[in-house]
């Protein structure tokens, strides 16, 4: 795979860096000579899946002091966190991580790559509550005006092990599609380090075919999100902001780069 273009991005915080995707992101960044920092609730347990050289900081997303400490001095943030399925902690964790990081960053404007999921714009389904909260996190990040990329993976390692191609799509139209975990991690790393990935929302799958060798070109081929728009470029329109829970409206008011219409 090609080497990333950005060389001015060294210390990179990974929220969810002990998870099944985040630890691959941390290892790959280390391999590329960057300085990954991982926030975890349990540093002793965290050391096991992580290679030496990854900085581990203790903290919980709900603790603003810990999150402020974690973002201190970073050049970029990757978010691959998630509450356990069935836990019901989606508002606090899957969504809550986004305003927690934005609050902690304050005026410090750095690139952010957010891992979300396919299916966030669909209606119905067993995972609806989880996906709605993930979508709210996406929408909040889009209106910040920060240089962001949103990566929505398909189903992790679901029969995709022999597929060599990273397949980027848009519009959230694929209900079921497998993706290799290493392909998700590589897409996140390349999105972080590639200028043409900014302001874009992509789904990632694994397919048969050649590997991507031109990441800048692959991201450039994706339609950019419209600046200030809550939804991804090719997404079905989401709920009106005034229909969102008060907590979300407050976060939108606090972090939106431009005034939202209507005024919420
Ligand atoms: N499975 C799929 O096919 C699929 C497809 C698309 C998207 N997804 C999404 O991917 C996510 C799971 O990714 P994964 O497998 O890499 O994650 P994972 O292995 O379940 O790890 C979850 C990560 O989130 C962190 N985390 C959770 N609660 C936290 C809190 N309160 N404070 C700080 N950190 C917290 C954990 O950190 P510590 O435990 O170290 O504190 C851990 O690093 C889920 O959100 C899921 O919806 C899954």
């Amino acid at each position: 795979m090609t080497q990333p273009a950005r060389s001015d991005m060294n210390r990179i915080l990974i929220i969810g860096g002990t998870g099944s995707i985040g630890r691959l992101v941390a290892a790959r960044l280390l391999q590329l000579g960057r300085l990954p920092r991982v926030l975890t609730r349990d540093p002793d347990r965290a050391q096991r899946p992580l290679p030496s050289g990854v900085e581990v900081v203790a903290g919980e997303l709900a603790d603003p002091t810990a999150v402020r400490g974690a973002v201190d001095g970073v050049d970029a943030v990757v978010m691959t966190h998630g509450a356990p399925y069935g836990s019901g902690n989606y508002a606090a964790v899957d969504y809550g991580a986004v305003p927690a990081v934005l609050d902690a960053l304050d005026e410090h404007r750095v690139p952010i790559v957010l891992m979300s999921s396919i299916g966030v714009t669909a209606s119905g389904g067993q995972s609806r509550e989880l996906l709605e909260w993930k979508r709210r996190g996406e929408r909040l990040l889009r209106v910040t005006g920060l240089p962001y990329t949103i990566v929505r993976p398909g189903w992790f390692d679901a029969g995709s092990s022999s597929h060599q191609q990273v397949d980027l799509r848009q519009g959230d139209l694929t209900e079921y599609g497998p993706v290799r975990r290493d392909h998700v991690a590589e897409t996140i790393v390349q999105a972080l380090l590639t200028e043409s990935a900014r302001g874009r929302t992509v789904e990632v799958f694994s397919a048969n075919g050649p590997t991507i060798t031109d990441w800048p070109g692959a991201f450039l081929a994706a339609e950019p999100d419209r600046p200030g728009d809550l939804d991804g470029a090719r997404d079905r329109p989401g709920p009106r902001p005034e229909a969102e829970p008060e907590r979300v409206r407050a976060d939108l008011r606090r972090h939106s780069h431009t005034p939202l219409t209507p005024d919420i």
Side-chain angles (χ1 to χ4, degrees), residues 15-23 38-42 45-46 59-62 80-84 92-94 115-118 130-131 134 152-157 179 181:
I15 303 284
T18 59
S20 79
I21 301 293
R23 74 182 71 156
V38 163
L39 176 77
T40 176
R41 291 163 295 174
D42 186 346
R45 186 168 46 85
E60 139 79 46
L61 281 164
T80 59
H81 60 284
V93 176
D94 294 77
M115 180 177 83
S116 174
S117 176
I118 60 165
L130 162 66
L131 294 171
K134 280 193 179 295
R152 297 169 169 164
W155 293 93
F156 298 166
D157 287 345
V179 65
R181 279 182 166 83

Side-chain angles (χ1 to χ4, degrees), residues 13 18 30 49 62 70 82 87 94 102-103 107 118 121 132 134 136 141 173 182 198 202 208 238 243 252:
L13 172 66
T18 59
L30 199 63
S87 68
D94 294 77
L102 295 175
D103 286 340
E107 296 296 307
I118 60 165
T121 70
E132 278 176 0
K134 280 193 179 295
R136 291 179 178 125
L141 181 58
L173 299 172
D182 62 328
R198 305 283 176 257
V202 294
N208 288 317
L252 287 168

